[in-house]
Amino acid sequence: MAEKRKADDAEPITAQEPKKAKSDGTTTQEDPHWATPLSSFQGFEMIKILNDHPKNKSVFVHGKFRGHEEEAVVILEKTPFSEETLPFALSGETKLKVGLKNDIYGNYHGTPPAQVNGIKVSVVYPATPKHLVKYSQQQTYLVQETGDDYRNITLPFLQAEAFRIQWVYNILEHKQESERIVFEDPDKETGFILLPDMKWDLKQVNDLYLIAIVHKHGIKSLRDLTAEHLPLLHNILKKGQEAIQEKFSIPPCKLRIYLHYQPSYYHLHVHFTHLNFDAPGTGVERAHLLSDVIEHLEIMPDYYSKKTLAFCLRENDQLLAEFRKAGRV
Ligand code: GTA
């Protein structure tokens, strides 16, 4: 019998005991049906397009699998070209259908061979109502959160409503994605794991996206950082840059290294993206460069408990309702 997850994804963000998970991704009879990796979209029934980004060539779809009650969010994204795959695209195997031919100008519809025709697929299954809100197109509003707003409005809300971070514990305990780890410093205070972000398919370095997840538990976000965390932050910056240079030959001057505020997952992590890649969440209302964070804490040890931080909230975001209730938006 399939295990039914709570409709609400909420889980306390502190002091939770990580649940057990298998390291090899295999499943057993007792596992819920959704624990098995998908091999196709057989039986998928689309309910709604939640969001659509023609510029990024991605679409966010809400759906279900026939015969199962859990809902899913599927993200489909066309992948960039790379130097390695271009020879396959520009070969006799790519069939061309002429759309327009005028003097020296031509437009065609091309059907390239399978190896260059892949799409990136991300699936959240079972998806909760909070995931549907997160991936839906909505009006956004800029909020100016003071230190007091954080303590009085945001923090109590987070403690009750944050997204599950079981996936983070699975990585830190080498129960999942261990084969993908690029670098690990196991120190309990200053250590971290650097690995490819879920959004990167590792096919080409021009959209490189890695995350460094700290080993230390209990640092929820930028707001919790003080000068006490400077050794941790310096360590992530230095060793993260070195590891990326060594493994992907990308120098520090080609990396954008930042934290999100607000993040979606309240266990401290740092994003490393290629400077040429316009990754989601790099706008001034969300991304905080790690080098700036370090400098702010060096100048003022409790900077982030005092600083007013701006971020966007979406119309259906419960936190926006809390800010409205408090007359802060
Ligand atoms: N390796 O299991 C995981 C995993 N999960 C569950 C999340 N991440 C994971 N990485 C690994 N394994 O960059 C990654 C996320 C994200 C980071 C958490 O951890 O990909 P954050 O806490 O600051 O949260 O970072 P963030 O950035 O909001 O999360 P997310 O999911 O990236 O959403 C941000 C927005 O980006 C979304 O609202 C959506 O508009 C867009 N987006 C999300 N996923 C995709 C996608 N696959 N393709 C395109 N756009 C996307």
Side-chain angles (χ1 to χ4, degrees):
M1 180 74 171
E3 178 188 314
K4 183 149 180 347
R5 226 189 228 185
K6 267 198 317 160
D8 191 352
D9 208 12
E11 187 170 277
I13 49 179
T14 50
Q16 64 171 336
E17 199 42 45
K19 290 171 203 142
K20 298 278 175 278
K22 286 181 289 303
S23 57
D24 58 2
T26 56
T27 53
T28 65
Q29 288 259 299
E30 304 92 67
D31 283 315
H33 69 91
W34 46 261
T36 310
L38 299 171
S39 58
S40 78
F41 278 111
Q42 175 133 28
F44 186 79
E45 293 167 350
M46 192 168 97
I47 298 172
K48 191 181 170 195
I49 292 182
L50 297 172
N51 209 342
D52 178 17
H53 300 281
K55 194 171 156 223
N56 301 343
K57 301 185 176 50
S58 63
V59 64
F60 296 62
V61 180
H62 173 201
K64 281 176 114 163
F65 287 90
R66 204 173 308 125
H68 296 290
E69 62 186 84
E70 293 89 351
E71 301 185 358
V73 172
V74 174
I75 302 168
L76 303 180
E77 193 182 347
K78 298 219 176 179
T79 50
F81 291 105
S82 74
E83 217 173 311
E84 293 78 50
T85 54
L86 266 182
F88 296 103
L90 298 173
S91 75
E93 284 186 68
T94 295
K95 301 297 165 221
L96 298 177
K97 219 172 167 181
V98 68
L100 171 153
K101 180 75 182 119
N102 185 347
D103 189 32
I104 59 172
Y105 304 101
N107 275 351
Y108 301 87
H109 180 79
T111 314
Q115 68 265 44
V116 286
N117 220 358
I119 50 171
K120 197 165 77 185
V121 179
S122 306
V123 180
V124 182
Y125 183 55
T128 67
K130 268 156 59 71
H131 288 109
L132 298 182
V133 168
K134 172 174 170 169
Y135 291 112
S136 298
Q137 186 167 30
Q138 290 164 57
Q139 286 287 338
T140 52
Y141 303 87
L142 194 76
V143 172
Q144 301 279 350
E145 180 198 71
T146 63
D148 283 342
D149 289 336
Y150 173 70
R151 287 175 282 278
N152 299 331
I153 305 171
T154 310
L155 183 59
F157 170 82
L158 294 182
Q159 278 163 341
E161 292 289 329
F163 273 113
R164 285 164 59 90
I165 47 175
Q166 186 59 46
W167 68 272
V168 170
Y169 298 137
N170 290 344
I171 290 171
L172 292 177
E173 294 174 16
H174 291 219
K175 289 174 175 167
Q176 296 289 341
E177 302 190 48
S178 57
E179 69 295 344
R180 285 158 49 88
I181 291 175
V182 168
F183 174 81
E184 176 164 14
D185 175 340
D187 190 279
K188 285 192 169 63
E189 290 298 315
T190 59
F192 64 97
I193 286 182
L194 180 73
L195 83 169
D197 189 279
M198 201 180 163
K199 289 209 257 334
W200 188 33
D201 60 7
L202 285 126
K203 293 273 191 292
Q204 56 280 310
V205 290
N206 39 352
D207 61 348
L208 172 138
Y209 197 148
L210 294 117
I211 40 169
I213 303 177
V214 305
H215 271 301
K216 194 173 167 70
H217 285 214
I219 314 173
K220 292 183 286 304
S221 74
L222 198 57
R223 277 286 186 207
D224 284 344
L225 292 175
T226 66
E228 183 197 323
H229 302 108
L230 281 168
L232 167 68
L233 301 175
H234 276 295
N235 198 39
I236 295 174
L237 184 62
K238 182 169 177 289
K239 293 194 182 145
Q241 287 173 332
E242 285 169 1
I244 291 174
Q245 168 89 65
E246 196 181 314
K247 173 109 193 203
F248 303 104
S249 305
I250 298 182
C253 61
K254 290 302 246 176
L255 292 175
R256 187 188 292 108
I257 306 170
Y258 56 97
L259 293 90
H260 275 159
Y261 193 76
Q262 301 281 339
S264 291
Y265 304 99
Y266 290 85
H267 176 108
L268 194 77
H269 56 275
V270 177
H271 302 249
F272 288 71
T273 59
H274 197 294
L275 199 57
N276 297 350
F277 173 45
D278 193 10
T282 51
V284 289
E285 74 286 13
R286 187 138 197 243
H288 298 255
L289 284 177
L290 178 58
S291 53
D292 283 348
V293 172
I294 289 175
E295 199 177 342
H296 291 150
L297 293 173
E298 281 170 346
I299 295 168
M300 193 199 255
D302 58 351
Y303 181 86
Y304 287 103
S305 73
K306 292 188 169 151
K307 172 87 176 82
T308 294
L309 296 172
F311 52 85
C312 284
L313 289 174
R314 289 136 162 269
E315 181 63 51
N316 291 341
D317 202 318
Q318 191 50 39
L319 185 57
L320 180 67
E322 300 296 323
F323 269 85
R324 282 183 170 149
K325 228 191 295 170
R328 293 290 296 122
V329 179

